[in-house]
Amino acid sequence: MSQAADSAAGPAVGIVANPLAGKDVRRLTSGATPVSDAVKIGAIRRAVVGAIEGGAERVLISGDRARLGERALAGLEVPGSVEVAEPHGWHTGRDSQLAAAQFRDEGVGAIVALGGDGTQRDVVTGWREAPLVPLAVGTNNVFPIPTEATVAGFAAGAVASGHADAAEVTWQAKIIDITAEGSQRAEVALVDVCLVRSAFVGARAIWDLGSVSEIVAAIAEPDSVGLAAVAAAVAPVGRKEPGGIHVGLGCASGNARDLQSYRHIRAAVMPGTYSDIDVAHCEQLRFGQPVTLSGPGVLTLDGEREIVLGRGERADITVNPDGPYVIDVGAAVAAAQRRRYPFGPAVAGR
């Protein structure tokens, strides 16, 4: 793959497929079914077909140690150019971050990202304002949407080629910015940031809610599963609504404010699992309003442990409006079809 965008090569769609998505420890401790490589290979294959049909002339697929892209292309014949990038070799979320940044530099017009909340966060870490179809193939799927890969690819191809106007068929998602003392770089999340009172980072996924003390969520919708479901039970906030929510867990103190907001709830914290949770307080957040979380503990970003805070170390968390541009799949497909098949208005009664 070349290192500079070649405008003469035609409109391009990038496909990021995380081989680790849907295989974390939560699959062993809940009722969820692991997502096999075969499922991902089939989704990549269908997304390629859809992207070419939608108007893309190039499709670039992220490389990985499991060779998902190569296996998806075996025996597939489509017009245009389809290639798999060289794997970056980390076999972690870093691969998805680097693939997204590479796609941006290659002049890709839209990305189809296969994975859960963690994979989508990795893609946005690599390309913050990516035109994105987030395809749900993970354990926690709050941010990505359950869409057939064929039409997801078509929508991305339509946006990349201009057959659908990106300004009309995308919306800009919220993003959570995290600046922690001692961290080498700022981090982001798309759904939630949690403070876990534990220094253990080995298993990155969160499955024991008893150690979670605070949650900052940008998305807390009633049909969420995971830590966002806890916030949604007390103060729902939609993905297109401004701001977010800050929730403190644990028994209420003697403080009058805490006693007034104390709640005992049950929420779907993992697929197939409801848990009892004590909510000590909650606060609605405006865009840009900082929340300071203090150690000792570990910050989880979209359900995965990422940042260790020592005793007295702090992190500032803010929900902001300038995240990725999410492609409305239905709107993009409809816009491309109207342009492709410009029939007049239907005659009433026929």
Side-chain angles (χ1 to χ4, degrees):
M1 191 180 289
S2 63
Q3 295 301 308
D6 181 359
S7 59
V13 165
I15 298 176
V16 174
N18 178 5
L20 302 178
K23 296 180 179 179
D24 61 52
V25 69
R26 288 167 295 190
R27 294 279 168 171
L28 302 177
T29 58
S30 74
T33 302
V35 180
S36 69
D37 285 355
V39 169
K40 296 170 189 174
I41 290 167
I44 295 169
R45 191 179 179 93
R46 299 194 303 275
V48 168
V49 171
I52 297 295
E53 188 70 25
E57 296 177 15
R58 296 185 297 150
V59 178
L60 314 176
I61 305 172
S62 61
D64 63 81
R65 197 162 68 186
R67 298 179 60 82
L68 297 179
E70 289 89 344
R71 292 155 70 187
L73 296 182
L76 181 65
E77 295 184 6
V78 291
S81 170
V82 185
E83 60 180 298
V84 180
E86 288 294 324
H88 294 283
W90 290 82
H91 202 53
T92 67
R94 181 69 174 150
D95 292 308
S96 298
Q97 296 172 18
L98 294 172
Q102 188 173 7
F103 288 168
R104 177 197 60 211
D105 295 343
E106 285 283 334
V108 162
I111 289 179
V112 178
L114 283 69
D117 295 331
T119 300
Q120 309 303 328
R121 180 180 71 84
D122 287 329
V123 169
V124 173
T125 297
W127 184 1
R128 184 181 178 104
E129 297 183 348
L132 180 64
V133 179
L135 198 57
V137 191
T139 300
N140 276 18
N141 296 295
V142 175
F143 185 81
I145 51 179
T147 303
E148 163 51 37
T150 311
V151 293
F154 185 101
V159 169
S161 64
H163 293 165
D165 186 346
E168 296 179 358
V169 301
T170 65
W171 54 276
Q172 192 164 21
K174 294 181 281 188
I175 196 167
I176 307 174
D177 288 299
I178 304 102
T179 304
E181 292 180 356
S183 178
Q184 296 297 314
R185 62 176 185 178
E187 298 278 1
V188 300
L190 293 171
V191 179
D192 52 45
V193 175
C194 304
L195 179 62
V196 180
R197 296 300 182 185
S198 169
F200 178 66
V201 189
R204 297 179 65 223
I206 287 293
W207 57 273
D208 178 13
L209 201 68
S211 58
V212 177
S213 64
E214 295 184 71
I215 302 171
V216 175
I219 303 173
E221 295 175 328
D223 59 351
S224 299
V225 173
L227 297 172
V230 177
V234 291
V237 57
R239 66 189 61 225
K240 294 184 180 180
E241 294 181 41
I245 183 74
H246 173 210
V247 177
L249 305 187
C251 296
S253 68
N255 185 292
R257 170 179 172 272
D258 290 345
L259 290 171
Q260 290 173 357
S261 59
Y262 174 78
R263 298 288 187 275
H264 178 78
I265 66 169
R266 286 178 62 80
V269 297
M270 286 189 293
T273 303
Y274 276 81
S275 295
D276 294 294
I277 302 118
D278 291 326
V279 176
H281 63 82
C282 65
E283 174 190 16
Q284 297 281 353
L285 300 174
R286 303 181 305 275
F287 279 141
Q289 178 182 348
V291 172
T292 300
L293 302 182
S294 300
V298 179
L299 293 181
T300 74
L301 313 183
D302 294 335
E304 297 181 347
R305 294 176 172 91
E306 293 286 350
I307 302 172
V308 177
L309 295 178
R311 186 173 299 279
E313 290 184 330
R314 302 184 302 174
D316 290 329
I317 319 296
T318 55
V319 179
N320 293 309
D322 57 338
Y325 285 90
V326 178
I327 297 171
D328 183 322
V329 171
V333 172
Q337 298 294 46
R338 284 195 302 270
R339 180 169 180 168
R340 187 172 293 177
Y341 311 120
F343 294 108
V347 178
R350 297 187 62 182

